[in-house]
Structures are given as structure tokens and as C-alpha cells.
Amino acid sequence: MTKSFTQTILCLILLCACGASKEEEFDLIMTKAKLLLTQSKCDEALFELGQTGYRHYDAKYLQLYSSALACKGGFSVTSLFGELADLTTTQAGILGSLSGMASSPTTSSTNKAFINLQSAIDTLLYAGNISTVSAANRAAEFNSTDASNMNMQALYMVLAQLGRYFYLHGNTNAAGKKGARDTPETNDCLTDYTFFDGGAGDSQVLRAFATGGGTITPCAGNADGHSELKDGAPNRNKYLCQGVILFNNLLDLLSNISLSGDNTSELQDLQSNIGDLCTLAGLGAVCTVKTQSVCESMAAVPADLNSIESFFVVVFETMLTDL
Amino acid sequence: MKKILPFILILSCLSSTIFGEFSYLGRSLEGLLMGDAFTALADDSSTLFYNPAALGRHSGVTISTLNPSFQFPDVLVKDFSLDNFNVGVTDRFSNFPSDPAGIANRILGFPLYLQLGINPSIKMENFGIMLFANSKTNMILENAIYPSLEIDYRLDRGFIAGYAFNFGSMNKKGNGNSFTVGASIKHINRQGLSGSFDLFGPELIALIESLSDYASLRKDLGYSKGDGWGLDTGIEFNRSSGSNRFTFGVSLLDVGDTRYKTEEGAGVVKQDMSLNYGMSYSGGDRFFGYSFALDYHNAIDPFTETMSKIHLGTRVNLTAMDLYMGWNAGYWSYGVALDFWMLRLLVGFYGVELGNTFNNRQGKRTVLTLNLLDFHFDI
């Protein structure tokens, strides 16, 4: 009686002790999430990945989590890849070309797809729980293969998000021409340029730029910006900084990824060309800031807000000028 | 039986497998067409892949000189309804695009599977030995947002040798009960690679651009190679009366997992242990025979759902033709074998679970084999 009872208890203990390790459970969750993303079941994939707790230092997890958010953001790299083949990669044409992609139309910065794609990008840019965004800081937290894979995935999403940003704020048409869509807004400039030189009536920034021979057509006035970026608009600094951060991270990613194929040399030259522009215009830290919170802190200081507006003129308005 | 039950239950806790399709060392194509409910049958040349104790039912000498096997994806769309009998190729592969994004969209989520094998074997009474060389490639493109290519390639070569000990009161006519214990040892040389690669990521792009030779390509993809020894055990209970036989079998394959001593690369994927139960009932005569089988596979896997472990199969043996049908853990299987003197052609289709839950993701496959010069004679 005692012997069979002992055997039974031993069996029950062993049966109850059966189970998988935490890593095996994690692998199972990752597999489930991948299958759900294959079926484009975005919310279900996010839910699965949430079961395991956020893993700041697991590159595969972060890439999958970013994919799930990008799924909610209406993004897929296979759709983007076909459009990238037709992308104009010259400095003068790239922003307009991005805004003319089929995935670019968006209605506002509060649009859920826009927000989710931004969250997907941030998942990878802040990988490793870094507080100051840069490819170098991510490389310090991950091995070179993982860092490189995350950079490439982030690059595709940043290109798509920049297309949406400039479609929205640049009022671009299907050909990527600034100020040409005229629906729902009719702005010819990205933002208002608010710094006036005495009573001259023109923006100091714009006047200085025109004096230097720059061209930013059709933007001509100092109060012709998109409603989200107009002087006094709520969250203006946040949305201004979104553009700056996206662009600076694009340059940072391009300088840390080896690209091959036609026209990639123009992309690789973009960082040095923009760097030259920044140096000429004396724009300072705005040309290298890659962290949203740091940029917004800068924008709260009038002198730095001037630099941000100058950045918009010198870089964005010129790159989005008539194609 | 009461004494055996705790032992079996204890074994249930010793190991586990994780997710997706469980990869056995080898399978019988006949068994696959019977829903892989073959643990308590295993009466073809693939006995040692299922249960060494099944050798206890063998008598005489059986030689399979080649035993080739060939499996590939089932791309046919089949409509067997009476008013619209139709077989065609799936739309997925018609007007196939040529651009990378188009190709990726088309094959996303479609499991690509290719298996080639040769497994000659000899069985002499209760002893059996089999040589095997099996190549299996699994590829699937996953994640519609940022596709990654999952690759699992294995080439297993080696031998299995086993013996079964019979105990019981079966008379010379084959009537009565018997209890069999079997064991086999095996040596496996495994080569393979397993990995996940971002389709549009820098790794694959760099690999393709620097494609110099096959050896460096496979090394960059994570190729590894190693040797290992493994052990299988099994038991079987048979009750026979005339031509009718009931069999209950339990097999424990790759006891304690079969691990490999790595010769090259980072490490060879181990062969997981599996505990399988089976029951079968066979009857009939040489002109019309039948078998029904029920299996419960991977009893020790804590992740796989119960329904995904159940396999049912049936086989009808006619003079020059055998018919197979089964239910392979949620998916149908069916096929036919035709005998022409010393030639045996077997063709069929089966479904297999590739996902984590029951009826989650189906892999559809075609099996084909042409056996030549298989002999059996009594001694």
C-alpha cells in the first residue's frame, strides 16, 4: 500500500513538474507572433509579444515588435520596396519623391497609422533602452549583425514616414510637388517663419535665405505654413521636431548601412551634403539632434527655435522645391 | 500493465519538444498516407523509424534494396466532388512575378518542403538493420511587414540496428498473446543549417553579392556538422486469432535526446526525444486485407495540443493495389500503391501541422516512391 502510494505521488509530482523553460516559452511566443504577422493580424501579434514583457536588449524581439506596430501603421516593406525602385535619390528630389509614394497620403499627425508607424520606428531607434538616439549608441548595446539588421528595418520605415510627413505638411501632389495638392490645405510653405527683423515684415530667416540666393518656391511668405506647423498651433514644436528627428536619423542610418545598387551613391552623399549646408548656414545642434525630447527642449528656447525654422528653410524647403 | 504504467508516466516528463512540426529522423511514406498512425503497424521497411519492438512480429527475411522516398509541396488544387472532378495547379504559382517584392508577396506563408531519401534495409526474423540517407529542407517566408526567411536544412546519414525479444504464449499458428520489448541503436551523421534571415536585410544582400563558392555561402548561413549515437526503445503487446491481430505499442525514440559531437560550425541541432503510443487492428486474407490504426504522438511535449497529437489511419490491401487514408492530427492524407511484379509505385498526399495550435497552419505535401527489387522469403 505504502509502496504503490509512494509511486503514485512520485508520478504526480513528476507530471506536475513537467514544463518548459522560460526561453522555450519565449521562443513559442515569437513563433506565434511571426505567424500572426504573416497573416497581417497586427493586434493579435502585439498581444502575443506583450505576454513576455518588453525586451529592450533582444534584437529579434524588437524587430518583431516593431513589425507589429508597423503593421498597425499600414506599412509593409514589400509594398515599399517596389516604390523605392522608382525613387529619385538626388538631394533635390528625394523628399518630393518620397511624398509622392502610394503609401504617403495621410490626413494628420494624429492619424493612427502615422502614430503607429512612428512608434514602430522609435522601437528600433531607442533599442537597448538608450536615452540619446544614435546608431553609435545602439551599436554599443548590440552585436554588429543585430545592430545592422535593426538599422536596415528602421531605414525602410523612416523613408515611408518621411514620405507621409512631407505629403501632409508639404501639401504635395502625386508627383511630389510642394504646395500643389491644395486639399484639404493650401499652404505653400511647410511652416510659418516667425522671426522678424524689426518692422520689415518679412521673416528674418526667409530674407536671409533669399539674400543668399536660395530658392524655396512656391514658399514666399512668412505665414503660409501647414495648420499643424503654424505659429501658435498646439503641439507645433512637437511636429516641427518630428520632421527634424526623422531626417537626421535618416542621415545617421544611411551613414551606418552599406548600400549597393544604382543611385545609392547619391544617398550615401546626402549626409555630407546636408552637413555642408548646415555649416554654411551656422545652424548648430539642430543638424545633429536625433532624440525627440532633446529637440523639443531646444524648440522651447527662442534662439534654438529660430535655428529649427532655419533648418526647415535651408534643408526642407529647398529639397522640396519645384521638381 | 499496472507496473508498466508508472514507468511510462515517468518517461512522460523527461523531455519535450517545442513548436511547429516535429522533425523525426525518418518516416514511412505508407505511414504518412495513413495519417502517420504507424507506431503499432510499422510493418514495412521503415520499422526502425517507428518502434524496434515491431520487429517481434517479423518472420523470415525481408530485403529492401533502395527504398527511395521523395516529398515535395502539394501545389495541386483538387476537387473530387461527383459533379466537378477537377485537378489543377494552385493560382499562387500562375503568372508568377519576376520582381523581388512580387515574389515575396506570392510565397509569403507558403511552406516549401523538399525531402529526398534512400533507406535500404534488411530484416531477419527479429533483427533489423537499416542504412539511411535523408535530406530535408524546410523554408518559409514569414512576417508580411518585414519578411524573414526561415530555413531548416538537414542531411542525416547513418544506420539503425535493432532487435526485439518476444515473450508470451503465441502458438505456431500465430494465435495467442505476445509481449515484445525492442531496442535499437543508431549512428547519425547530421549536417545542416537552421536560421532566420531578413529578406530585405543586410545579411542576405551581402551574402548574395559576395557569392563566391558554395562552401563559404553555407558557412555564412550557419552550416554545421556532427556525429552522434542514439537509442530507441519500445514495447508491444499483440493478441492474434487467425488472421486478425490487435497490437498496442509504445516507442521511446532518441532516449534522452540524440546529441551530436560538432565537427564543424557552431552546433548541430539535436534530435528530440519522442514518446509515441499506437494501437492497430488488422485482418483479412491475402486477397483482401485491412488495417485500422490510432496513434498518439509526442506524449511528452507540453506545448502541442492534444488534438494535434492524434493520428488515425486505415489501409486496404488488395491483390495488386493498396489504398491508404488517414487523419494526420487534423489534416487528411490519402494515397495508393500499385504493385507490378517487383516494382511498387506509391503516390499520395498528406497534410501536416506546421503551426503551434491545432488546425493552425497546414503544410500540404506530395509523396512519391518507386521501389524496385524488394524481397521477402520465409525461413
Side-chain angles (χ1 to χ4, degrees):
Chain A
M1 169 81 173
T2 304
K3 189 178 174 184
S4 62
F5 177 76
T6 307
Q7 276 182 335
T8 307
I9 293 298
L10 183 63
C11 288
L12 286 172
I13 290 170
L14 286 170
L15 276 171
C16 293
C18 277
S21 68
K22 286 245 181 277
E23 278 312 302
E24 289 170 341
E25 285 181 20
F26 172 70
D27 288 342
L28 179 63
I29 286 170
M30 293 283 280
T31 302
K32 280 184 185 175
K34 240 181 270 188
L35 174 58
L36 289 165
L37 286 172
T38 302
Q39 299 162 343
S40 296
K41 292 181 179 174
C42 320
D43 289 320
E44 291 93 322
L46 261 179
F47 175 78
E48 277 303 324
L49 292 168
Q51 300 290 298
T52 185
Y54 195 82
R55 294 195 168 203
H56 290 280
Y57 303 97
D58 187 319
K60 288 291 180 195
Y61 172 86
L62 291 170
Q63 283 188 266
L64 217 53
Y65 196 90
S66 176
S67 294
L69 286 167
C71 176
K72 286 171 66 87
F75 170 85
S76 104
V77 79
T78 49
S79 303
L80 181 73
F81 207 76
E83 297 197 90
L84 289 181
D86 298 325
L87 191 69
T88 302
T89 53
T90 59
Q91 184 175 329
I94 184 169
L95 293 187
S97 188
L98 285 172
S99 70
M101 293 195 300
S103 57
S104 293
T106 191
T107 54
S108 80
S109 297
T110 56
N111 175 274
K112 281 185 182 173
F114 188 88
I115 291 172
N116 280 316
L117 184 56
Q118 188 61 49
S119 297
I121 292 168
D122 290 342
T123 298
L124 296 179
L125 293 184
Y126 290 85
N129 205 20
I130 56 177
S131 54
T132 304
V133 175
S134 74
N137 285 347
R138 287 193 298 275
E141 301 292 337
F142 297 91
N143 64 49
S144 60
T145 302
D146 287 345
S148 186
N149 285 337
M150 288 192 293
N151 284 343
M152 187 65 107
Q153 184 171 345
L155 174 66
Y156 290 119
M157 293 191 291
V158 165
L159 287 169
Q161 189 75 329
L162 275 170
R164 293 179 183 188
Y165 185 88
F166 287 108
Y167 172 94
L168 174 65
H169 298 116
N171 182 25
T172 58
N173 64 6
K177 184 173 176 178
K178 182 173 63 177
R181 190 172 72 249
D182 286 341
T183 179
E185 302 205 10
T186 58
N187 55 298
D188 286 335
C189 302
L190 291 164
T191 183
D192 289 354
Y193 296 101
T194 60
F195 290 90
F196 292 92
D197 180 7
D202 285 338
S203 157
Q204 176 191 42
V205 169
L206 287 182
R207 222 159 28 85
F209 189 74
T211 304
T215 303
I216 55 171
T217 55
C219 179
N222 58 294
D224 194 13
H226 185 271
S227 60
E228 286 184 354
L229 301 181
K230 287 190 83 64
D231 185 27
N235 295 312
R236 180 188 186 232
N237 290 352
K238 175 183 172 183
Y239 297 144
L240 281 173
C241 283
Q242 267 184 347
V244 173
I245 298 308
L246 278 170
F247 189 77
N248 285 344
N249 275 292
L250 171 69
L251 300 184
D252 189 35
L253 290 167
L254 285 173
S255 68
N256 283 277
I257 290 172
S258 298
L259 295 175
S260 60
D262 298 339
N263 302 326
T264 55
S265 59
E266 290 163 322
L267 283 175
Q268 304 276 197
D269 291 339
L270 202 56
Q271 187 179 35
S272 63
N273 292 346
I274 299 300
D276 291 344
L277 275 177
C278 279
T279 304
L280 273 172
L283 297 178
V286 70
C287 291
T288 54
V289 66
K290 289 178 281 290
T291 308
Q292 179 75 18
S293 59
V294 172
C295 179
E296 289 186 36
S297 297
M298 286 169 58
V301 177
D304 290 333
L305 179 59
N306 190 14
S307 296
I308 291 173
E309 289 187 6
S310 300
F311 185 91
F312 265 68
V313 170
V314 168
V315 179
F316 291 158
E317 296 285 2
T318 56
M319 289 178 73
L320 256 182
T321 197
D322 279 352
L323 293 176
Chain B
M1 196 66 178
K2 278 170 85 173
K3 291 183 179 177
I4 293 167
L5 184 59
F7 175 70
I8 293 173
L9 289 174
I10 289 169
L11 282 178
S12 299
C13 299
L14 290 180
S15 183
S16 68
T17 187
I18 301 174
F19 45 79
E21 181 192 9
F22 185 85
S23 183
Y24 291 95
L25 181 62
R27 294 279 92 180
S28 159
L29 296 193
E30 255 189 63
L32 287 172
L33 297 181
M34 288 181 65
D36 207 21
F38 215 54
T39 301
L41 275 174
D43 52 3
D44 66 355
S45 53
S46 301
T47 302
L48 288 168
F49 283 144
Y50 283 85
N51 188 353
L55 289 170
R57 282 183 271 120
H58 181 262
S59 62
V61 177
T62 304
I63 300 172
S64 292
T65 49
L66 284 175
N67 195 17
S69 63
F70 184 37
Q71 295 184 56
F72 50 93
D74 177 10
V75 297
L76 298 178
V77 174
K78 306 173 221 52
D79 184 352
F80 294 145
S81 54
L82 289 172
D83 57 345
N84 186 30
F85 186 89
N86 188 36
V87 177
V89 177
T90 176
D91 288 340
R92 189 187 280 268
F93 295 105
S94 57
N95 297 321
F96 205 71
S98 56
D99 60 292
I103 293 170
N105 273 331
R106 198 63 82 89
I107 66 173
L108 190 73
F110 184 81
L112 298 167
Y113 179 78
L114 182 63
Q115 183 267 330
L116 296 166
I118 289 183
N119 306 300
S121 68
I122 297 174
K123 288 194 275 190
M124 293 180 288
E125 293 291 300
N126 303 144
F127 170 78
I129 184 164
M130 175 165 63
L131 304 177
F132 59 85
N134 287 319
S135 157
K136 274 190 282 193
T137 306
N138 261 304
M139 275 202 300
I140 190 163
L141 193 65
E142 293 196 300
N143 189 352
I145 312 310
Y146 192 68
S148 64
L149 186 63
E150 319 286 322
I151 301 174
D152 188 292
Y153 163 74
R154 298 179 195 189
L155 172 62
D156 291 326
R157 295 174 299 175
F159 71 87
I160 311 176
Y163 192 85
F165 300 88
N166 279 319
F167 310 93
S169 55
M170 200 165 282
N171 62 25
K172 285 183 182 175
K173 289 185 180 177
N175 295 330
N177 301 332
S178 73
F179 178 70
T180 310
V181 176
S184 60
I185 60 165
K186 52 194 176 186
H187 182 263
I188 308 165
N189 174 283
R190 171 165 284 183
Q191 304 172 31
L193 58 92
S194 180
S196 175
F197 304 93
D198 295 339
L199 188 66
F200 297 102
E203 270 183 295
L204 265 186
I205 292 171
L207 277 172
I208 291 165
E209 287 180 346
S210 67
L211 200 61
S212 51
D213 60 272
Y214 172 68
S216 60
L217 172 66
R218 72 179 191 186
K219 185 186 170 194
D220 290 339
L221 287 173
Y223 171 84
S224 57
K225 177 177 160 183
D227 281 309
W229 287 91
L231 172 69
D232 301 332
T233 62
I235 57 172
E236 214 176 69
F237 170 78
N238 286 283
R239 171 169 281 184
S240 297
S241 173
S243 63
N244 300 323
R245 186 186 71 239
F246 169 78
T247 303
F248 174 76
V250 182
S251 68
L252 183 66
L253 306 178
D254 300 287
V255 177
D257 298 339
T258 298
R259 297 174 193 273
Y260 300 87
K261 184 179 171 188
T262 305
E263 293 171 13
E264 187 182 329
V268 181
V269 176
K270 66 180 169 74
Q271 184 61 45
D272 288 322
M273 182 167 68
S274 68
L275 176 65
N276 309 296
Y277 301 89
M279 286 194 301
S280 71
Y281 182 82
S282 301
D285 53 40
R286 52 187 285 221
F287 298 107
F288 178 80
Y290 56 86
S291 300
F292 302 104
L294 165 67
D295 268 26
Y296 187 78
H297 288 180
N298 287 324
I300 53 181
D301 173 12
F303 289 111
T304 306
E305 292 180 14
T306 300
M307 288 300 289
S308 294
K309 299 181 183 182
I310 296 174
H311 302 256
L312 297 164
T314 184
R315 176 177 65 189
V316 174
N317 305 109
L318 304 173
T319 307
M321 180 166 69
D322 296 335
L323 302 170
Y324 307 92
M325 180 171 269
W327 191 81
N328 188 11
Y331 303 106
W332 292 105
S333 61
Y334 48 91
V336 62
L338 301 170
D339 292 306
F340 304 102
W341 193 45
M342 297 188 114
L343 195 74
R344 183 174 169 88
L345 170 69
L346 181 141
V347 64
F349 308 94
Y350 74 98
V352 64
E353 181 63 67
L354 299 179
N356 304 110
T357 55
F358 178 69
N359 247 327
N360 185 215
R361 173 196 268 177
Q362 182 184 13
K364 296 166 76 173
R365 295 174 186 166
T366 307
V367 303
L368 179 67
T369 184
L370 185 64
N371 270 318
L372 298 167
L373 304 175
D374 286 357
F375 302 98
H376 175 82
F377 47 91
D378 296 319
I379 51 174

